[in-house]
Every structure is written in C-alpha cells, then in structure tokens.
Amino acid sequence: MNTKLKIIAVIFVSIVMSACSSTPTWEGMSQTEISQWKQAGFDPGAAQSWSKKGFTAADASAWRNGGFDLDKATDWKDEKFTADEAMSWKAGGFNLNEAVKNRANGLQPVQAEAATSK
C-alpha cells in the first residue's frame, strides 16, 4: 500500500471509531427500562437525558406529549407539578411562576383564572 492510501485508511478508521464512541447507548439501563423507553418512542440519547433528570419513560412521555421539552418539564417537576397539573396550568394561560404563586394560595387553574379576572 502506498503512503497516501495508508493515511486515508487511518483517517477513515479514526472517524468511524470516534463516531461509534460518541453515539448514545442504552448503557446503565435494564432490558425492561430499555423496552419502556423504546415503547414510549425515545431514542437512546433522549432516554438517557430524561432519565438523568429523574424521569421514567412513562413520565417523560406524558411531559413530552403535553408539549414540554426536557428543560421545561424539569422546571415544572422541580416545583412538584405532575405533567397533568402543568398542562392544566399552561392551558389556563399561566406560566410556571404564576402557577406556583396561585397554587400556594390554594387555587387551581380555573379558580386562579376566575380570581385574577375579578
């Protein structure tokens, strides 16, 4: 093999190897968890990201189906809202800060909307 061809072969192998090593995997998940994430429509990278933030496949699916990305879902979850509760507040036109404040006053989305329109 000539030198030029050897260099090209080494570069090609290096690219292939680095691409393989940077591809997200299902590492650290049981077969049951992998099955649940796949069934919920998540690829390995997304599943790992949601899982690292403390979401199960079912929870992540509920949040995503409710229109929340990982960052927004995490913000709402950190304030102790479920996906259904967050969707109700969001549908009522409330942002997270407003939802937290109104919930602290014992209100629900419909009640909070009525109270603020008086």
Side-chain angles (χ1 to χ4, degrees):
M1 237 199 260
N2 69 32
T3 306
K4 200 175 199 180
L5 198 50
K6 286 181 183 179
I7 292 171
I8 291 172
V10 168
I11 291 171
F12 177 75
V13 169
S14 297
I15 291 171
V16 169
M17 294 300 289
S18 67
C20 290
S21 66
S22 64
T23 303
T25 67
W26 297 104
E27 186 177 337
M29 293 188 178
S30 69
Q31 288 299 316
T32 301
E33 290 171 314
I34 293 168
S35 176
Q36 291 167 344
W37 284 104
K38 284 181 176 181
Q39 189 173 3
F42 288 85
D43 62 37
Q48 291 288 359
S49 295
W50 283 84
S51 180
K52 285 178 185 171
K53 294 284 187 167
F55 293 91
T56 64
D59 291 338
S61 182
W63 284 101
R64 189 174 64 178
N65 291 340
F68 294 87
D69 64 17
L70 176 56
D71 292 333
K72 293 292 182 192
T74 301
D75 291 343
W76 284 81
K77 181 180 175 231
D78 287 348
E79 293 294 338
K80 308 297 185 234
F81 286 93
T82 65
D84 287 339
E85 291 168 338
M87 284 185 278
S88 293
W89 284 100
K90 190 175 171 185
F94 296 92
N95 65 35
L96 176 57
N97 292 333
E98 294 166 336
V100 169
K101 179 183 171 190
N102 284 295
R103 183 181 64 180
N105 290 325
L107 302 175
Q108 295 294 317
V110 174
Q111 296 168 320
E113 187 175 290
T116 57
S117 65
K118 288 183 180 178

